[in-house]
Each structure stands twice: as structure tokens, then as C-alpha cells.
Amino acid sequence: MQIDLPVIWAAIIGLGVFIYVMLDGFDLGIGLLFPFFEEKAEREVMLNTVAPVWDGNETFLVLGGAGLYGAFPVVYSTLLPANYMPLILMVVGLIFRGAAFELRAKATRTQHAWDLAFIGGSALAAMCQGITLGSLLQGIKIVDDKFAGDPFDWFSPFSVFCGFGVLLTYATLGCGWLILKTDGELQRKMRQIMRPLLAVLLLAIAIVSLWTVLGLPAVRQRWFFSGNLGWFLPVPILVVLCTLGIYRSLNRSHEAMPFLLSLAICFLGYTGLIISIWPYIVPPSLTIWDASSSRSSQLFALVGTVIVLPVIIVYNAMQYRVFRGKVREGDHGYH
């Protein structure tokens, strides 16, 4: 029996993208929450919770991009040209926030400017990721395995709203992370912010879900007429249960549960995306098998990935283990 390498590679890339969203999501979310806190000490604590791990979080974005290039090269002639602008802006945002991490701690007169760079870079990166997601869902015009649409096809009310949805998701993850990693007055403020933020996120999820069903015929076809409905039905129920669980944990002052349940909501949304596009890697016409590189190329790259991926995962896990525990004002060794 021959191994279906495109399916294996789709699973690897899907895993890498989800781990990136999970880890860099709360990382970007902290930048989105920055404007709500003016005190320097509070901002320092917020940054210190991710200072030891933020660059490692982005490793999985590189993994996903490299895997995509090696296993599904046709995607680079379709998905990327269709989203050049948001993807370039995303990279610009990541550069600005990365520079802000390193330079704001050393700045004196320009620290406020680096705070703005951190906020703007986080917002720009998150927004562009959501716009690219919306562009993927609404479909990309392909002729002869090449992008055949307009350079601004990515810009639509649906894709922009998906961008705001990703902003809300990351901000919620950031809130949950800071509840876990801080205490005292900062933690109390995060609990207050998370309640209305979660309500707005739930509304955004409902709107995006309805929009995809009513406004995107290809997605509606895959949900209701391709045998996928049974897989999707538990998703909205579980999202509501996770939301109720977060509110309950906030009321009972649980520290880890808001973050863990926020991750669960993120995972459920990700499964909804997979159900909406599977087996297409670039909807509405390019499947994972259509976009695949040669079997020998995929097999060669798979051998390297099997060796490297566990090392990356263990390295990142060790980071979080070493820097576990609360972060408080005046802690040293994070910059």
C-alpha cells in the first residue's frame, strides 16, 4: 500500500500553521492589548511574559512556509500572487514588532515610538493574516496552475472582516495568557477586559460563519452537500460551551482555564476552516494532489522534517518549561 504523501504533508503544514497561530497568537495579542495600558511598569510586565519565547514562536511560520514550498510548489504561483500585498505588509508588521522587542528596552527618549511600533506591527501582522485567510476562503481564480485574478481580489468586505476576527481572536488569546502569567492588579484588569472581548469575539465568529454559508456558495456546498455536515455540527456547540467555561472560570478566578479554553476556541475555528476547504489547498479548484511536487521531492523533504520537527517542538517546549511561572514587576533576565 502506497503512502499518500500529499495528505501527510497537508497534515504537517496544517499542524505547523496551527501551532504558529496558537503560540504567536497570544504573542501578537499582547501588542493589541498594549493601548489599554499606559503605565510603563505594566507594559514591561506584559512584554516580559513573552520576551523569552516570542522569536521561537515564529519558527512554526517558517516551517509552514518552507513545507509549503517543498511539498506544494504550485501554491506559490497561485496563493502568493493573489495575496502579495497583505503578505508583504504582514512581514513588515513582524519586522517592526521584532525590532520593538529588542530596541524599546534600550531606548530612553524614543521608547514611546517603539511602543507604537510594537502596537502597529502586531495589529498589521494580525490583520493581514486574517485578510489572507478571508481571501483563501472566498476563492482564488486559477488558470493553468497560475493566478489569473486581479491584484486586489484579496480586498473585499469579507476578507477585511476576517482580519478583524483574527484581531479579536489574538487579543483574546493574549488576555488569557496574561491572566495565566501575571497576578495582582494587572491580572484583575485582564479579567475585566476579557469579558466584553470574548462576547465580541463570539459575535464575530457567528457573523463569519453565517457569511461563509450565505455568501460563499463553494463553502456552502462543502458544508451541506459533501458529507461534511456531521463533522461540523459539534463545532458551534463546543464553541458556546468553551465560551461559557471561560466566563465561569473568570468568575471563579481560575488562572489557566481562560487561556486553555481560548486555545480550544481557536482550535475549533481552525477545524471549521479545514472542513470548509478540504481537500482544496487553494479553493475553489486546486486540491492538495493537484498542487503537489513530485513524490521523490516530498519523500526527501519528509525525511528531513521527521528529524527536525521533533527537535523544534522539544526546543519550544523547553523554553516554556524554563520560563514557567508568574512574571512580576522588577523581575530580571528577560531582555
PDB file of all heavy atoms in Angstrom, residues 78-99:
ATOM      1  N   THR A  78       0.052  30.641  -7.109  1.00  0.00           N
ATOM      2  CA  THR A  78      -1.383  30.945  -7.038  1.00  0.00           C
ATOM      3  C   THR A  78      -1.724  31.763  -5.793  1.00  0.00           C
ATOM      4  O   THR A  78      -2.135  32.910  -5.891  1.00  0.00           O
ATOM      5  CB  THR A  78      -2.203  29.640  -7.045  1.00  0.00           C
ATOM      6  OG1 THR A  78      -1.711  28.762  -6.008  1.00  0.00           O
ATOM      7  CG2 THR A  78      -2.094  28.937  -8.389  1.00  0.00           C
ATOM      8  N   LEU A  79      -1.516  31.182  -4.627  1.00  0.00           N
ATOM      9  CA  LEU A  79      -1.894  31.851  -3.380  1.00  0.00           C
ATOM     10  C   LEU A  79      -1.064  33.104  -3.131  1.00  0.00           C
ATOM     11  O   LEU A  79      -1.596  34.143  -2.742  1.00  0.00           O
ATOM     12  CB  LEU A  79      -1.753  30.876  -2.208  1.00  0.00           C
ATOM     13  CG  LEU A  79      -2.106  31.430  -0.820  1.00  0.00           C
ATOM     14  CD1 LEU A  79      -3.559  31.859  -0.760  1.00  0.00           C
ATOM     15  CD2 LEU A  79      -1.810  30.388   0.259  1.00  0.00           C
ATOM     16  N   LEU A  80       0.244  33.022  -3.347  1.00  0.00           N
ATOM     17  CA  LEU A  80       1.100  34.174  -3.053  1.00  0.00           C
ATOM     18  C   LEU A  80       0.844  35.356  -3.987  1.00  0.00           C
ATOM     19  O   LEU A  80       0.679  36.481  -3.496  1.00  0.00           O
ATOM     20  CB  LEU A  80       2.578  33.763  -3.079  1.00  0.00           C
ATOM     21  CG  LEU A  80       3.143  33.356  -1.710  1.00  0.00           C
ATOM     22  CD1 LEU A  80       2.497  32.065  -1.222  1.00  0.00           C
ATOM     23  CD2 LEU A  80       4.656  33.182  -1.786  1.00  0.00           C
ATOM     24  N   PRO A  81       0.809  35.161  -5.313  1.00  0.00           N
ATOM     25  CA  PRO A  81       0.499  36.316  -6.174  1.00  0.00           C
ATOM     26  C   PRO A  81      -0.866  36.932  -5.882  1.00  0.00           C
ATOM     27  O   PRO A  81      -1.044  38.133  -6.068  1.00  0.00           O
ATOM     28  CB  PRO A  81       0.545  35.721  -7.591  1.00  0.00           C
ATOM     29  CG  PRO A  81       1.408  34.527  -7.472  1.00  0.00           C
ATOM     30  CD  PRO A  81       1.150  33.976  -6.110  1.00  0.00           C
ATOM     31  N   ALA A  82      -1.804  36.108  -5.422  1.00  0.00           N
ATOM     32  CA  ALA A  82      -3.134  36.627  -5.106  1.00  0.00           C
ATOM     33  C   ALA A  82      -3.141  37.458  -3.835  1.00  0.00           C
ATOM     34  O   ALA A  82      -4.073  38.232  -3.605  1.00  0.00           O
ATOM     35  CB  ALA A  82      -4.123  35.474  -4.969  1.00  0.00           C
ATOM     36  N   ASN A  83      -2.087  37.309  -3.007  1.00  0.00           N
ATOM     37  CA  ASN A  83      -2.059  37.999  -1.708  1.00  0.00           C
ATOM     38  C   ASN A  83      -0.725  38.677  -1.442  1.00  0.00           C
ATOM     39  O   ASN A  83      -0.298  38.785  -0.291  1.00  0.00           O
ATOM     40  CB  ASN A  83      -2.357  36.986  -0.590  1.00  0.00           C
ATOM     41  CG  ASN A  83      -3.764  36.475  -0.613  1.00  0.00           C
ATOM     42  OD1 ASN A  83      -4.681  37.113  -0.106  1.00  0.00           O
ATOM     43  ND2 ASN A  83      -3.962  35.302  -1.208  1.00  0.00           N
ATOM     44  N   TYR A  84      -0.066  39.137  -2.500  1.00  0.00           N
ATOM     45  CA  TYR A  84       1.234  39.769  -2.317  1.00  0.00           C
ATOM     46  C   TYR A  84       1.178  40.920  -1.317  1.00  0.00           C
ATOM     47  O   TYR A  84       1.993  41.015  -0.398  1.00  0.00           O
ATOM     48  CB  TYR A  84       1.771  40.287  -3.658  1.00  0.00           C
ATOM     49  CG  TYR A  84       2.589  39.283  -4.433  1.00  0.00           C
ATOM     50  CD1 TYR A  84       2.534  39.233  -5.822  1.00  0.00           C
ATOM     51  CD2 TYR A  84       3.438  38.389  -3.778  1.00  0.00           C
ATOM     52  CE1 TYR A  84       3.290  38.313  -6.544  1.00  0.00           C
ATOM     53  CE2 TYR A  84       4.193  37.460  -4.481  1.00  0.00           C
ATOM     54  CZ  TYR A  84       4.115  37.431  -5.859  1.00  0.00           C
ATOM     55  OH  TYR A  84       4.853  36.521  -6.564  1.00  0.00           O
ATOM     56  N   MET A  85       0.209  41.801  -1.476  1.00  0.00           N
ATOM     57  CA  MET A  85       0.153  42.995  -0.639  1.00  0.00           C
ATOM     58  C   MET A  85      -0.045  42.654   0.839  1.00  0.00           C
ATOM     59  O   MET A  85       0.741  43.097   1.690  1.00  0.00           O
ATOM     60  CB  MET A  85      -0.935  43.943  -1.128  1.00  0.00           C
ATOM     61  CG  MET A  85      -1.004  45.253  -0.361  1.00  0.00           C
ATOM     62  SD  MET A  85       0.498  46.246  -0.556  1.00  0.00           S
ATOM     63  CE  MET A  85       0.277  46.811  -2.246  1.00  0.00           C
ATOM     64  N   PRO A  86      -1.089  41.868   1.207  1.00  0.00           N
ATOM     65  CA  PRO A  86      -1.237  41.565   2.639  1.00  0.00           C
ATOM     66  C   PRO A  86      -0.080  40.766   3.214  1.00  0.00           C
ATOM     67  O   PRO A  86       0.297  40.965   4.378  1.00  0.00           O
ATOM     68  CB  PRO A  86      -2.555  40.784   2.708  1.00  0.00           C
ATOM     69  CG  PRO A  86      -2.818  40.318   1.334  1.00  0.00           C
ATOM     70  CD  PRO A  86      -2.206  41.328   0.424  1.00  0.00           C
ATOM     71  N   LEU A  87       0.526  39.871   2.409  1.00  0.00           N
ATOM     72  CA  LEU A  87       1.640  39.077   2.924  1.00  0.00           C
ATOM     73  C   LEU A  87       2.886  39.930   3.136  1.00  0.00           C
ATOM     74  O   LEU A  87       3.606  39.762   4.130  1.00  0.00           O
ATOM     75  CB  LEU A  87       1.933  37.910   1.977  1.00  0.00           C
ATOM     76  CG  LEU A  87       0.866  36.809   1.954  1.00  0.00           C
ATOM     77  CD1 LEU A  87       1.181  35.774   0.888  1.00  0.00           C
ATOM     78  CD2 LEU A  87       0.737  36.134   3.324  1.00  0.00           C
ATOM     79  N   ILE A  88       3.151  40.850   2.219  1.00  0.00           N
ATOM     80  CA  ILE A  88       4.294  41.750   2.393  1.00  0.00           C
ATOM     81  C   ILE A  88       4.084  42.643   3.613  1.00  0.00           C
ATOM     82  O   ILE A  88       4.992  42.856   4.429  1.00  0.00           O
ATOM     83  CB  ILE A  88       4.513  42.591   1.125  1.00  0.00           C
ATOM     84  CG1 ILE A  88       5.049  41.702  -0.010  1.00  0.00           C
ATOM     85  CG2 ILE A  88       5.497  43.732   1.391  1.00  0.00           C
ATOM     86  CD1 ILE A  88       5.104  42.382  -1.353  1.00  0.00           C
ATOM     87  N   LEU A  89       2.862  43.161   3.759  1.00  0.00           N
ATOM     88  CA  LEU A  89       2.560  44.006   4.914  1.00  0.00           C
ATOM     89  C   LEU A  89       2.650  43.215   6.219  1.00  0.00           C
ATOM     90  O   LEU A  89       3.062  43.748   7.246  1.00  0.00           O
ATOM     91  CB  LEU A  89       1.170  44.633   4.764  1.00  0.00           C
ATOM     92  CG  LEU A  89       1.029  45.702   3.675  1.00  0.00           C
ATOM     93  CD1 LEU A  89      -0.424  46.144   3.541  1.00  0.00           C
ATOM     94  CD2 LEU A  89       1.927  46.900   3.974  1.00  0.00           C
ATOM     95  N   MET A  90       2.278  41.933   6.178  1.00  0.00           N
ATOM     96  CA  MET A  90       2.404  41.095   7.365  1.00  0.00           C
ATOM     97  C   MET A  90       3.868  40.985   7.787  1.00  0.00           C
ATOM     98  O   MET A  90       4.204  41.124   8.977  1.00  0.00           O
ATOM     99  CB  MET A  90       1.847  39.700   7.089  1.00  0.00           C
ATOM    100  CG  MET A  90       1.957  38.755   8.277  1.00  0.00           C
ATOM    101  SD  MET A  90       1.629  37.025   7.863  1.00  0.00           S
ATOM    102  CE  MET A  90       3.159  36.577   7.035  1.00  0.00           C
ATOM    103  N   VAL A  91       4.743  40.751   6.818  1.00  0.00           N
ATOM    104  CA  VAL A  91       6.173  40.654   7.115  1.00  0.00           C
ATOM    105  C   VAL A  91       6.689  41.984   7.675  1.00  0.00           C
ATOM    106  O   VAL A  91       7.480  42.011   8.628  1.00  0.00           O
ATOM    107  CB  VAL A  91       6.962  40.239   5.855  1.00  0.00           C
ATOM    108  CG1 VAL A  91       8.456  40.313   6.120  1.00  0.00           C
ATOM    109  CG2 VAL A  91       6.567  38.824   5.429  1.00  0.00           C
ATOM    110  N   VAL A  92       6.239  43.102   7.094  1.00  0.00           N
ATOM    111  CA  VAL A  92       6.640  44.422   7.597  1.00  0.00           C
ATOM    112  C   VAL A  92       6.208  44.581   9.059  1.00  0.00           C
ATOM    113  O   VAL A  92       6.979  45.060   9.909  1.00  0.00           O
ATOM    114  CB  VAL A  92       6.028  45.547   6.725  1.00  0.00           C
ATOM    115  CG1 VAL A  92       6.221  46.913   7.384  1.00  0.00           C
ATOM    116  CG2 VAL A  92       6.654  45.540   5.338  1.00  0.00           C
ATOM    117  N   GLY A  93       4.972  44.167   9.356  1.00  0.00           N
ATOM    118  CA  GLY A  93       4.487  44.247  10.727  1.00  0.00           C
ATOM    119  C   GLY A  93       5.325  43.413  11.681  1.00  0.00           C
ATOM    120  O   GLY A  93       5.668  43.858  12.787  1.00  0.00           O
ATOM    121  N   LEU A  94       5.685  42.197  11.261  1.00  0.00           N
ATOM    122  CA  LEU A  94       6.501  41.328  12.108  1.00  0.00           C
ATOM    123  C   LEU A  94       7.895  41.908  12.317  1.00  0.00           C
ATOM    124  O   LEU A  94       8.494  41.774  13.399  1.00  0.00           O
ATOM    125  CB  LEU A  94       6.594  39.927  11.483  1.00  0.00           C
ATOM    126  CG  LEU A  94       5.294  39.120  11.456  1.00  0.00           C
ATOM    127  CD1 LEU A  94       5.488  37.812  10.694  1.00  0.00           C
ATOM    128  CD2 LEU A  94       4.786  38.834  12.865  1.00  0.00           C
ATOM    129  N   ILE A  95       8.430  42.559  11.291  1.00  0.00           N
ATOM    130  CA  ILE A  95       9.755  43.196  11.426  1.00  0.00           C
ATOM    131  C   ILE A  95       9.699  44.333  12.446  1.00  0.00           C
ATOM    132  O   ILE A  95      10.571  44.444  13.322  1.00  0.00           O
ATOM    133  CB  ILE A  95      10.241  43.715  10.060  1.00  0.00           C
ATOM    134  CG1 ILE A  95      10.588  42.542   9.139  1.00  0.00           C
ATOM    135  CG2 ILE A  95      11.452  44.640  10.233  1.00  0.00           C
ATOM    136  CD1 ILE A  95      10.869  42.938   7.702  1.00  0.00           C
ATOM    137  N   PHE A  96       8.673  45.176  12.354  1.00  0.00           N
ATOM    138  CA  PHE A  96       8.558  46.309  13.263  1.00  0.00           C
ATOM    139  C   PHE A  96       8.397  45.841  14.709  1.00  0.00           C
ATOM    140  O   PHE A  96       9.022  46.395  15.622  1.00  0.00           O
ATOM    141  CB  PHE A  96       7.381  47.200  12.866  1.00  0.00           C
ATOM    142  CG  PHE A  96       7.775  48.318  11.950  1.00  0.00           C
ATOM    143  CD1 PHE A  96       7.675  48.171  10.577  1.00  0.00           C
ATOM    144  CD2 PHE A  96       8.246  49.512  12.453  1.00  0.00           C
ATOM    145  CE1 PHE A  96       8.052  49.195   9.720  1.00  0.00           C
ATOM    146  CE2 PHE A  96       8.626  50.553  11.617  1.00  0.00           C
ATOM    147  CZ  PHE A  96       8.525  50.392  10.236  1.00  0.00           C
ATOM    148  N   ARG A  97       7.552  44.811  14.934  1.00  0.00           N
ATOM    149  CA  ARG A  97       7.348  44.379  16.312  1.00  0.00           C
ATOM    150  C   ARG A  97       8.590  43.659  16.837  1.00  0.00           C
ATOM    151  O   ARG A  97       8.914  43.758  18.019  1.00  0.00           O
ATOM    152  CB  ARG A  97       6.090  43.532  16.453  1.00  0.00           C
ATOM    153  CG  ARG A  97       6.166  42.148  15.849  1.00  0.00           C
ATOM    154  CD  ARG A  97       4.810  41.463  15.875  1.00  0.00           C
ATOM    155  NE  ARG A  97       4.290  41.393  17.214  1.00  0.00           N
ATOM    156  CZ  ARG A  97       4.580  40.417  18.065  1.00  0.00           C
ATOM    157  NH1 ARG A  97       5.420  39.459  17.713  1.00  0.00           N
ATOM    158  NH2 ARG A  97       4.061  40.396  19.269  1.00  0.00           N
ATOM    159  N   GLY A  98       9.304  42.947  15.953  1.00  0.00           N
ATOM    160  CA  GLY A  98      10.541  42.300  16.377  1.00  0.00           C
ATOM    161  C   GLY A  98      11.592  43.313  16.775  1.00  0.00           C
ATOM    162  O   GLY A  98      12.278  43.157  17.791  1.00  0.00           O
ATOM    163  N   ALA A  99      11.711  44.382  15.972  1.00  0.00           N
ATOM    164  CA  ALA A  99      12.655  45.451  16.314  1.00  0.00           C
ATOM    165  C   ALA A  99      12.254  46.132  17.615  1.00  0.00           C
ATOM    166  O   ALA A  99      13.109  46.488  18.437  1.00  0.00           O
ATOM    167  CB  ALA A  99      12.717  46.464  15.171  1.00  0.00           C
TER     168      ALA A  99
END
